[in-house]
Amino acid sequence: MRLLKNTGTDRVIDLLDPKLQKDGQLDVVTPEFSLFAFSALQSKLATLKQSNIVIPSVDGELRLLGNEADRPARNQLLSRWLAKQCAEWAKGTAEIRLAKGKVPQGVAVVRDTNGAAQQVVMGSFGLTSDGLGITPGNPLNLIQASDTADEAAMLSQWFDMQWSSLPHDDVNKQAFIEALESLAADCPPFTLYALILSHLFSNAADEMDEERIVKSATGIRNTRVWKKLYKFQRDGVVGAIDKLNRFGGCIIADSVGLGKTFEALAVIKYFELRNDRVLVLCPKRLRDNWTLYKANDKRNVLAADRLNFDVLNHTDLSREGGTSGDIDLAHVNWGNYDLVVIDESHNFRNKATHKGRESRYDRLMRRIIKEGVKTRVLMLSATPVNNRLADLRNQIAFATEGDDTALMEHGIASIEATTRKAQAQFNRWLSLDDEEKTPSRLVEMLGFDYFTLLDHLTIARSRKHIQKYYGTAETGAFPQRLPPINIKPDVDRAGEFRSIRDINLEIRRLNLASYAPLRYVLPHKQADYDAKYSTQIRGGESFFRQVDREESLIHLLRVNVLKRMESAVSSFTLTVHRQLKDVEATLARIEAHDPEFEELDIADVDIDDPAFESLLVGRKVKVLLSDVDLLRWRHDLIEDRNRLAALYAAAKQVDAARDAKLTALREVITHKFQHPTNPGNKKIIIFTAFADTAVYLYEQLSAWAKTDLGIESALVTGSGRNQSSLPHLRKDLASILTSFSPRSKERPADLAHEGELDLLIATDCISEGQNLQDCDWLNQLRHSLEPGSHHSAVWPYRPHRLAQ
């Protein structure tokens, strides 16, 4: 006996190949069977009279396609052909028997034409590429070979004994042949595509393994907030935690109403259970939403979780001192937060710069994210992209701490370059003809890198996604939005008020001269005012002149006046009256000016000094009356005064009794009360853009609704003017909304005595982040410039189950 190194020229194949003679026989016991080992011996196997093969179960690890070392052979794309050839060989001269258990080692016996053993090899090898020595194998394998015919005859007896003990069964041979034929068969393209996906994403299950990501030891599954989540929300939480840990940030961009706030609260609780410090940054109007969940309050459905995060407003980032709630901003340790949750993160989509000071974006990046401990950033926004893909890049920068190459190892060489290229492709898509401008074409043009970036850092699901992949058995069907009802009453029931189109033309003729004093500065004085008020941009390459800023403001003011008219004639009346007072005040200052006062230079004047008050006019931008063309300014002001006075006089005549839109709104409310969309549901929300309109509507509808319909009303404006017709109900936002939607807000039974509201009049202060699913009817007041100009759009909904 001698040992085989199975390398160089001392390999198993070098020993077997010369001994395999025509009409001879090969007997093999092998733990594995590789097509590429068959290929190496194919020419000799085809000449043999008989081949007896013992293999483990066909369902076991035969590894027909070899191992990692066989990758070059597989890349030759001959596997199907080899499988077909091997199947033909097996059908002909091969006899296949199955071992009763695992095959611990390999044995090969080469016999001559008379059946006498000529060579025996046994040990740690198989009928594989590395077993034959074609590719490198394990150097610790022990392989022995016979030296003489007597040794071969003696050792072959072991194989004869094993072979005779195994039953002859054509079923086993057929199973082996079928395994080979399945490899040789043609595969449909879709099967290949599915296989590619399987290999690409085979680790996806491990990546999203809930136990690995959300450690059960934290106790998160025992919390109230976790138990309140639906399956799709729990998956969102798991995905967000995974992205926060792997990439440092995540944007939850689920559609409106899918529970981003509750998902964020679950993430917050997970980090708090790890003893991490958490900060929530939210718009001021949403502050109460977040503070309620950390308060020891009966209305807090998560009180048992004892959440303990800090809450600050977005605007607090611009403040150096003062308080926000119970937090002293002068002493906040900004760099000590382990997790920052940014609600409505699209408010930070622009890297706005301000002359001589940090923007909120810059301060958030520097003081909270970059300084101190490692800070992870969770962003919540249903609209992370407004009209530029740079919006997304600026938010992603919070997760990467501004490092453009942070995702290099994940296939994104440059975040900025990826979004810039995607933006260019999006612009190209917009320029395509309508028949080519399809969603599928856009996906194709944006490219793989952009979607890889989204996949790494965002979680975005729509209602259709939830319905398709999760079903509605748990959540119930989403509400069905019925077609809107457009109501177009006139402005004035008496028919005396001018049309919206005429009012718009009159507004466009306004000079609004009291808001643009720099427009009237004398030519030889303009340079001095430019130097004092203009803003350098692009490092001093150019200037943004204050006079241009004022002209832009004038256009916005005209639009605002029209929008007030679109909202309600009462709001239009108030706005026109305010502007009329401003014009009259400016004219009074001009008339009181002493023309003999000594000449001054605006550069030498402290505009905040009371000594110069009588010489200056304007709000933030002050001008010396001696520096303006008073004749032209007075002319334009008088023209404005006359136009505004005429508009005010006409609008003032349209009181509540003549307000056709208010009358139509009452009819809508009455019809909804008498013919509810869903049985027993009397609730209505009326949204309006302006607080003045909301106050007017509450004053006109509240008492009427209580007397005529027997329903209670409330007003929410976000400006401290909340009202309610329920005498024992507090006026804070949480109390009003809980009384309006007690089911979705899960109001405790012991607060039922506060009563229930059915009519809610509000501005957009409650348009985001609220659970008001008890209501199935929404009115939105709006207008157009078309005939029959006033619109009241109504959106009714079919019955649905409540969602978080």
Side-chain angles (χ1 to χ4, degrees), residues 389-555:
L389 297 185
D391 300 342
L392 178 66
R393 182 188 68 230
N394 293 338
Q395 293 169 77
I396 288 176
F398 291 137
T400 62
E401 298 187 4
D403 183 1
D404 188 49
T405 62
L407 299 177
M408 176 78 76
E409 63 181 33
H410 300 284
I412 306 296
S414 168
I415 297 172
E416 194 276 336
T418 299
T419 54
R420 187 177 65 248
K421 179 180 178 181
Q423 181 68 60
Q425 292 295 91
F426 179 72
N427 294 340
R428 283 184 54 203
W429 179 80
L430 288 176
S431 65
L432 296 176
D433 295 335
D434 290 342
E435 59 270 15
E436 296 182 3
K437 198 188 309 181
T438 61
S440 59
R441 182 67 184 275
L442 176 61
V443 170
E444 178 184 343
M445 293 177 65
L446 287 178
F448 183 75
D449 285 353
Y450 179 69
F451 290 104
T452 300
L453 179 64
L454 294 181
D455 182 60
H456 284 332
L457 293 172
T458 66
I459 296 173
R461 283 90 54 88
S462 64
R463 284 170 171 78
K464 288 184 178 179
H465 176 98
I466 304 305
Q467 290 170 334
K468 181 176 181 180
Y469 295 103
Y470 292 90
T472 57
E474 182 185 18
T475 62
F478 288 107
Q480 176 189 356
R481 180 171 173 172
L482 301 179
I485 304 168
N486 291 311
I487 302 171
K488 303 179 179 181
D490 292 327
V491 176
D492 183 7
R493 296 180 65 190
E496 299 176 4
F497 193 75
R498 298 162 65 183
S499 69
I500 292 292
R501 185 177 297 278
D502 291 341
I503 294 296
N504 180 47
L505 293 175
E506 195 69 14
I507 291 172
R508 293 174 64 180
R509 295 188 182 104
L510 289 172
N511 299 300
L512 296 177
S514 60
Y515 303 105
L518 291 182
R519 180 194 296 170
Y520 304 95
V521 171
L522 294 168
H524 67 281
K525 292 290 186 179
Q526 287 178 356
D528 296 332
Y529 284 89
D530 283 344
K532 189 174 185 68
Y533 291 117
S534 296
T535 303
Q536 289 188 8
I537 59 177
R538 297 174 183 169
E541 294 180 8
S542 59
F543 292 86
F544 183 34
R545 300 178 64 213
Q546 179 62 29
V547 65
D548 297 329
R549 186 182 289 113
E550 285 184 350
E551 291 303 320
S552 299
L553 174 64
I554 294 304
H555 289 298

Side-chain angles (χ1 to χ4, degrees), residues 693-704:
T693 301
V695 171
Y696 168 75
L697 291 177
Y698 180 77
E699 291 172 349
Q700 301 302 323
L701 296 177
S702 178
W704 164 81

Side-chain angles (χ1 to χ4, degrees), residues 224 228 291-305 730 732 734-735 738-739 741-754:
R224 183 75 182 275
K228 289 184 69 65
T291 55
L292 177 63
Y293 290 120
K294 52 177 288 197
N296 185 21
D297 191 303
K298 291 181 179 179
R299 297 165 299 177
N300 179 9
V301 297
L302 304 179
D305 287 341
R730 289 178 295 178
D732 62 280
S735 296
T738 300
S739 293
S741 191
R743 290 178 61 199
S744 66
K745 293 286 188 179
E746 299 185 41
R747 182 174 68 177
D750 56 355
L751 294 181
H753 69 277
E754 293 181 346

Side-chain angles (χ1 to χ4, degrees), residues 100-169:
K100 295 180 180 179
K102 290 184 178 180
V103 177
Q105 64 178 3
V107 174
V109 180
V110 179
R111 302 179 190 270
D112 60 18
T113 56
N114 298 319
Q118 299 297 309
Q119 182 68 63
V120 176
V121 181
M122 58 196 318
S124 305
F125 79 99
L127 203 59
T128 60
S129 298
D130 57 343
L132 297 180
I134 300 171
T135 59
N138 191 335
L140 296 179
N141 287 344
L142 179 63
I143 304 174
Q144 296 175 299
S146 62
D147 265 341
T148 65
D150 292 339
E151 286 181 354
M154 179 185 65
L155 294 174
S156 66
Q157 294 176 12
W158 179 88
F159 176 84
D160 294 336
M161 181 176 60
Q162 298 298 326
W163 182 260
S164 62
S165 67
L166 298 174
H168 170 74
D169 191 347

